[in-house]
Amino acid sequence: MPTDVIVRIRSARGLVDLPGTVDAIGPAASPTFEERRSTPGIRLLAVAVSDNDYAISLQLPVPAESLAALREREGKAVLIVFPGRTPVRRRLRALAASTAHVAPDPGVASQAAPLDLTAGREGAAPLWLLPAGVFSTTPTVSPEGVAARDALVTAARWISSRRTSTLAQLFPPSAFHPEEPARKERLSAGRGMAMLEQARAALQVAAVGGEEARRDPLGAATLRSAALTVLSHLIATSLDDRGFAPVAELAAAEIFALVEREAGDETARPALRAHAIHLLQLRAPGLTAAQQERARELVRGLLREAPPYDELTGPWNFAMCGASEFHEGECRILVLTHGFKEIPPPPDAPPSPGGWSPYRVFEAPFKTPAGAPIRVFARGASPRDENLEMGMTFFAGLLINRHAQLGAFDLRAAAVQVRQEGYKLMMNAQCAGLTTRFAISQIFPDADIYSSWDSTYFRVGPDGVVNASEGVDCFVAALLGMSKRASHTELDARIREAQWHHAQAETPGFSQFVGPSHPLVVARYSDVNRDGRADYYDGFLDFQLTEIAEDIEASMTPRDPGVSASQIGGQAAAGLNWAAGSLNRVAQYSDIWAGLPGQSELYYVFQSGGFFSHREPPHDVPAGDAVAQDLGRLPAVTRYQKNKDAPGGLTVEVMFHSHLGHAAQELKRLLCAADAMRRAFDLGYLALEAGEALSTPRGQRCAMLLTMAGLLEFPADQNFIDGLWSMALKALRLPEVSRSTVRACITAEDHAMSNYYGSRRGLGQLLAWLERSDPSVFQQLGSEDPRVGRLAEIEVGAVAGEDRRVEREGGRGSGG
C-alpha cells in the first residue's frame, strides 16, 4: 500500500501542506520518478545526502499558487511529514507537473471562466486562456505536448502583436477606440506557473534530438520557438507584476536550457538559439543578476570575437572598390597619408572582376602577424560589380566607398548574386549604411561587416580630386589593428580613433562603422528568418514562411496570402525591410524631421516590425489626436515607443498589412513613410512652432507630399513612378497633385543642405505655388476633414483576387 505523506513548504502566505503518497524509497526513488515524470500528475523527487530518497506523487488537484510556491523550492529544502512521526528534511531535486491537474487560482475572479483572446476578429485563429492558466484552441480542452502546438503558435503570434502590454493586462485599451470599456482581466502569478509548465512540456516533447524532432523537424522547431515566445512574455510580465518574479526566474532558466540544447544536432536550429539569446538580452531587466551576467556572456558568444587570424596565412589581400569619383583620390590617400607603396600586381593576382578598371596594388607599411605583406587592390567599381571580391578566396576583405544615391545604389548592389568564399571583413563607407545592413548580412551571413552609421565624409581638393577620406582612414585603422591580431572590440576602438567628427558622437559608444562588437545595434538591423521583422523586435521566430512575390499592378488590391502574418517572407518581407531602412534615410536627410525628440532622427529609430492583419492586429499603438480607425485594416501602421535605453529616447516599428504584402516595395515605402509622418504629427513628436506652415493640416499634408516625392527619386520608367504616386495619393485620400510640381520644390539648394526628402524652405515654395497656380488643390489640402492625408482602411475579405505571384522586372532601382 502506498504510504501517505505530506510535503510541507513555506510560501509568502505561510506554511503550505501538500498531501501525497510515497511511490518509492531509497535507491528505487530516482528510477521510479523518471519512469512516472511524463505521466499525468505532479511528481516529486526528494533526496538526502546519507538517508533515504523519496519519489512522491501529490494528491490532485493542487492549487496553482501552491504549485508556484513549490516551484520556488526546487533545489532547496522541504519537509516530508509522515503520520505520527517527526518531519524529515529533504532537498527537492526535481518536480514534474501536468498542467491539466493544476486547480484554478481563486485569487483573480475575472479569470474564473475561459477567456476568448481573439474574440471579435473575423477569421482569427481561436485562442483561449483557460482558468488553469494555459492556452488552448477551445474553451474546454487543456492541450499538452505536441497537441499544444496550435495553441502555443497562435499564442506566440498574439503575444508578438503587443509591445508594451503583458499578461498583467490581457486586453490593453484601444487608443483608437476610447469608447470601448476597459477590461481588467489579467493572468495571476499562480496561473503563470501553469503557463510555464505548458511551455516546458512543449519544449520537452519537441526537444532537439528527440523523437518528435526527428519525425517532424520543422514542426518541432516551430513548437520550441512558440514556447520560447511564451517564456519570454512571462519574464516581461514580471516587470509589471513582481509576483511573477519566481515565474520569470524559472522561465529564464528554461530559455537558458533551450540555448544549451539548440546546438550540436541536425535537428537543432542555430537561428532559434540566437533568437533566444536576443530575447534574454531584451528581457534583461526581468532576470536575476546572475542570469543577466550569463545572458551577456551568451550575447558575446554569438559574435566572432576576432577575425580567424590562424586561418589567414600568407599575404593578406584586400580589395578597395570605390566609385569613379573616389577611386583616384583614394589611391593617392593610401600613399600620401598612410605611407602605402604602389607595387606591380603579384603573379598570382586575379584580374579585376569588374573588367573596366584594372587593379592598382598598394602594399602597407606594416605586415601581418607572421611578417607577410598586407596589400590593397584598388579599382573603380559600380554597384553592379562592387561585391564581386566577396566570392574570391584571394581576398580577405574589401572596402566599398561610394554614394548611396538615396539608396538606389544599395538596391542594385544587393541584387547581384555573389556567394562568399573564405573569410571576409567587409566595410561599407557611404551615407546611412545601417539602412541596408539587413540586406548585406543576408547576402553574406558569414562576413564580419562594418556598416557606416552616419554619412562617411570626404574632402575634395582644388583639382576636384578627393584628397581626404574618412572611409580610407578607418579602413587603414582596421588593417593596422588586424596586423596586431586585434579583437573586434579593439578594432572598433581603433576605428573610433580614426573617424571624423559626427553629431552622434555624444552617444556613448558611437562608432561611424558598426561592426560585430555592437550586438545590440546589429540585432536591430538583422532579419535572420527574413520575415520582415528585425530580430530585436521579433517576438516569435516563425520557421514556416511562405515566399510572397510582388505583384506591382495589383499593389493596392487586397489579397489574402493564405497564411498568418508572421509567415510572410520573400519579396514581400524584403520590401518591408527596405521601407523601414528608407525611413531612417528620410529622417536623416530632411529638416522637417529634425524636430524628433533627442535628435532621434540621427539614430535609426525606424525598424521593421513585420506584418499584421485584421485577424492579428497590432496593439499598444499610441494614437494622439488621430481619427478612430481599425488598426487591423490600415495598409501601414507605425508604432512609436518612448524608450529611455535607446539613443534619442525613441523607437518606431514599421508594420504593413499582410493582405498588401504583394505590393511593390516602392509603394510600401511611400505608405509607411506617410503613416510615420502623420503619426509623428499626431503624437507631437515633430516639434512645431505656432504660426508656421507645419502647424497647419495643409502644411503637414504638403510635407508628406515632399517626403513621398523624394522617395520616388530613383532611376525607373516615369510612367511606373507616376503610377505609384497616384496609388499613394488615393490611399491617403489626397487630391491629385502633380508629382513634377512637388519634386520641383526639392532643389539643388536643398541638396546642398542634405535635404533630399523635403525641407521647410521647400514646403513654403510648394504652398505658395499651389495657392497661386492650383487653388482647387490648395483648398482641398486645407480641408477640415481629418481623414484627408491619412491612410484609408482597406477592404479585406471582400475581394479574393487572383493569386498571381509575378517576379519583378529587372533593372528597377529604389530611392531612399
Side-chain angles (χ1 to χ4, degrees):
M1 292 288 293
T3 304
D4 292 335
V5 72
I6 290 175
V7 178
R8 179 171 294 163
I9 59 175
R10 184 177 297 278
S11 74
R13 298 181 182 179
L15 293 178
V16 176
D17 284 348
L18 302 172
T21 56
V22 176
D23 299 323
I25 300 175
S30 182
T32 301
F33 171 80
E34 293 298 331
E35 179 183 339
R36 300 188 179 189
R37 70 180 303 159
S38 60
T39 60
I42 298 178
R43 318 290 181 181
L44 311 180
L45 177 61
V47 300
V49 174
S50 58
D51 204 342
N52 285 329
D53 299 340
Y54 300 123
I56 299 172
S57 294
L58 294 185
Q59 181 178 315
L60 302 176
V62 174
E65 69 272 20
S66 298
L67 180 60
L70 189 61
R71 274 292 183 198
E72 291 183 51
R73 300 302 304 170
E74 200 165 356
K76 302 175 184 177
V78 297
L79 291 179
I80 310 298
V81 184
F82 292 90
R85 295 175 55 188
T86 303
V88 295
R89 189 176 301 274
R90 293 291 185 269
R91 180 168 57 86
L92 182 58
R93 173 180 287 177
L95 182 154
S98 167
T99 58
H101 299 281
V102 179
D105 183 352
V108 184
S110 59
Q111 289 183 240
L115 290 176
D116 188 349
L117 299 178
T118 56
R121 290 292 171 187
E122 175 190 353
L127 180 64
W128 293 81
L129 181 62
L130 301 186
V134 297
F135 292 112
S136 178
T137 56
T138 74
T140 56
V141 177
S142 178
E144 294 184 353
V146 175
R149 179 186 299 163
D150 288 347
L152 287 175
V153 168
T154 303
R157 292 171 178 149
W158 176 82
I159 288 169
S160 294
S161 69
R162 289 151 172 78
R163 294 301 298 170
T164 60
S165 64
T166 63
L167 296 166
Q169 186 176 29
L170 297 171
F171 299 95
S174 171
F176 284 86
H177 295 283
E179 74 282 356
E180 294 181 356
R183 298 183 62 174
K184 303 295 185 181
E185 292 95 337
R186 65 178 179 87
L187 186 73
S188 69
R191 287 190 170 99
M193 196 64 74
M195 187 176 290
L196 168 67
E197 289 297 333
Q198 185 182 36
R200 174 181 280 165
L203 289 175
Q204 289 176 348
V205 76
V208 169
E211 179 181 344
E212 183 63 23
R214 299 198 182 283
R215 186 189 69 81
D216 183 6
L218 181 61
T222 300
L223 180 54
R224 295 198 303 274
S225 183
L228 168 64
T229 301
V230 172
L231 293 172
S232 172
H233 208 52
L234 286 169
I235 298 173
T237 303
S238 71
L239 300 177
D240 294 331
D241 182 350
R242 292 309 298 164
F244 272 78
V247 182
E249 184 175 354
L250 292 171
E254 287 298 320
I255 297 178
F256 283 117
L258 181 147
V259 169
E260 291 181 4
R261 291 191 295 262
E262 207 69 47
D265 187 277
E266 61 183 8
T267 62
R269 293 289 177 124
L272 183 58
R273 180 180 185 275
H275 183 59
I277 294 172
H278 284 316
L279 287 179
L280 285 169
Q281 181 184 40
L282 182 64
R283 303 304 186 201
L287 306 182
T288 66
Q291 289 175 335
Q292 289 180 14
E293 179 56 34
R294 186 178 177 188
R296 281 191 288 268
E297 288 296 325
L298 286 171
V299 170
R300 288 191 285 268
L302 275 180
L303 309 170
R304 185 186 282 122
E305 183 178 350
Y309 293 114
D310 293 339
E311 300 175 16
L312 301 178
T313 58
W316 290 356
N317 302 307
F318 293 85
M320 187 170 73
C321 302
S324 56
E325 61 266 41
F326 294 104
H327 173 58
E328 180 183 349
E330 289 173 341
C331 292
R332 290 187 191 177
I333 292 167
L334 283 177
V335 175
L336 299 177
T337 303
H338 298 289
F340 281 62
K341 178 177 67 175
E342 187 164 9
I343 62 173
D348 60 341
S352 170
W356 58 277
S357 177
Y359 285 127
R360 294 177 62 185
V361 186
F362 301 86
E363 186 172 313
F366 44 86
K367 305 291 185 180
T368 72
I374 297 176
R375 303 180 294 218
V376 172
F377 288 68
R379 67 176 175 90
S382 69
R384 67 176 178 272
D385 61 34
E386 68 184 18
N387 290 332
L388 296 181
E389 281 85 356
M390 294 293 287
M392 302 167 68
T393 56
F394 182 79
F395 293 99
L398 76 159
L399 165 69
I400 297 172
N401 203 339
R402 58 162 167 80
H403 293 294
Q405 193 62 26
L406 303 185
F409 290 167
D410 299 321
L411 271 176
R412 291 182 183 178
V416 179
Q417 298 299 313
V418 182
R419 180 177 178 177
Q420 179 181 336
E421 296 291 343
Y423 171 77
K424 295 291 184 291
L425 181 142
M426 186 181 196
M427 182 177 283
N428 291 276
Q430 59 182 77
C431 295
L434 282 179
T435 60
T436 53
R437 186 180 182 114
F438 78 92
I440 298 171
S441 63
Q442 287 180 3
I443 300 171
F444 307 117
D446 296 325
D448 286 335
I449 299 170
Y450 283 80
S451 299
S452 55
W453 179 303
D454 191 21
S455 297
T456 306
Y457 298 139
F458 62 93
R459 287 192 289 268
V460 177
D463 58 356
V465 178
V466 172
N467 62 12
S469 167
E470 181 183 27
V472 174
D473 292 350
C474 292
F475 187 58
V476 172
L479 296 184
L480 183 57
M482 291 181 68
S483 75
K484 300 179 184 299
R485 295 181 67 95
S487 67
H488 282 298
T489 299
E490 294 166 336
L491 290 177
D492 174 72
R494 288 177 174 272
I495 289 172
R496 277 190 273 169
E497 289 181 2
Q499 70 191 27
W500 297 9
H501 174 72
H502 294 263
Q504 297 95 327
E506 63 188 36
T507 302
F510 167 77
S511 179
Q512 168 58 4
F513 290 94
V514 176
S517 63
H518 287 73
L520 185 62
V521 174
V522 171
R524 295 180 189 275
Y525 311 109
S526 301
D527 180 7
V528 169
N529 65 335
R530 306 188 187 191
D531 64 350
R533 185 186 284 253
D535 295 337
Y536 188 75
Y537 298 95
D538 203 340
F540 173 48
L541 197 67
D542 200 330
F543 292 109
Q544 298 177 313
L545 300 186
T546 298
E547 299 277 327
I548 303 294
E550 291 183 350
D551 187 345
I552 298 171
E553 295 179 359
S555 286
M556 281 307 295
T557 303
R559 178 186 301 158
D560 191 338
V563 294
S564 174
S566 68
Q567 294 178 273
I568 294 179
Q571 290 180 334
L576 181 53
N577 278 322
W578 281 111
S582 294
L583 258 170
N584 284 310
R585 198 181 298 271
V586 166
Q588 291 192 42
Y589 295 101
S590 169
D591 67 11
I592 294 174
W593 286 90
L596 285 175
Q599 292 187 309
S600 51
E601 72 276 3
L602 301 177
Y603 299 115
Y604 295 84
V605 295
F606 296 98
Q607 310 304 330
S608 179
F611 291 89
F612 65 90
S613 75
H614 56 294
R615 297 165 184 156
E616 299 165 313
H619 291 276
D620 311 335
V621 179
D625 296 329
V627 177
Q629 291 178 294
D630 185 345
L631 287 180
R633 286 179 164 77
L634 294 183
V637 173
T638 46
R639 180 193 278 125
Y640 283 79
Q641 287 182 262
K642 293 181 179 179
N643 184 347
K644 61 181 178 60
D645 297 323
L650 194 68
T651 58
V652 192
E653 291 173 80
V654 181
M655 300 172 283
F656 208 75
H657 202 290
S658 64
H659 285 225
L660 293 178
H662 59 277
Q665 65 181 11
E666 292 87 355
L667 186 63
K668 288 188 178 81
R669 295 164 65 228
L670 296 179
L671 301 187
C672 289
D675 186 80
M677 178 173 271
R678 180 65 266 164
R679 210 169 294 281
F681 283 131
D682 291 339
L683 295 170
Y685 283 136
L686 287 176
L688 306 174
E689 296 180 8
E692 71 167 327
L694 273 177
S695 65
T696 67
R698 180 184 285 115
Q700 293 172 5
R701 292 159 184 160
C702 285
M704 197 177 298
L705 291 172
L706 287 168
T707 294
M708 292 194 299
L711 282 168
L712 288 175
E713 285 299 319
F714 60 90
D717 178 78
Q718 292 302 297
N719 290 328
F720 168 69
I721 294 178
D722 284 336
L724 294 171
W725 177 260
S726 295
M727 285 184 190
L729 294 182
K730 184 177 180 181
L732 289 161
R733 295 179 275 215
L734 290 170
E736 283 289 338
V737 185
S738 166
R739 184 174 66 90
S740 60
T741 295
V742 179
R743 67 189 295 224
C745 296
I746 304 177
T747 64
E749 178 184 349
D750 288 324
H751 285 197
M753 298 296 293
S754 293
N755 289 319
Y756 298 102
Y757 301 95
S759 65
R760 281 172 157 82
R761 185 217 60 79
L763 176 60
Q765 178 183 338
L766 178 58
L767 287 168
W769 192 96
L770 290 173
E771 185 176 21
R772 180 177 65 254
S773 304
D774 200 338
S776 175
V777 167
F778 183 80
Q779 183 177 4
Q780 292 177 66
L781 287 171
S783 171
E784 295 182 1
D785 185 348
R787 297 174 300 171
V788 175
R790 296 182 191 275
L791 289 172
E793 297 174 7
I794 61 175
E795 293 292 332
V796 287
V799 181
E802 181 185 357
D803 192 18
R804 287 186 299 122
R805 294 179 180 170
V806 298
E807 297 297 326
R808 303 191 46 174
E809 298 177 11
R812 288 194 179 122
S814 180

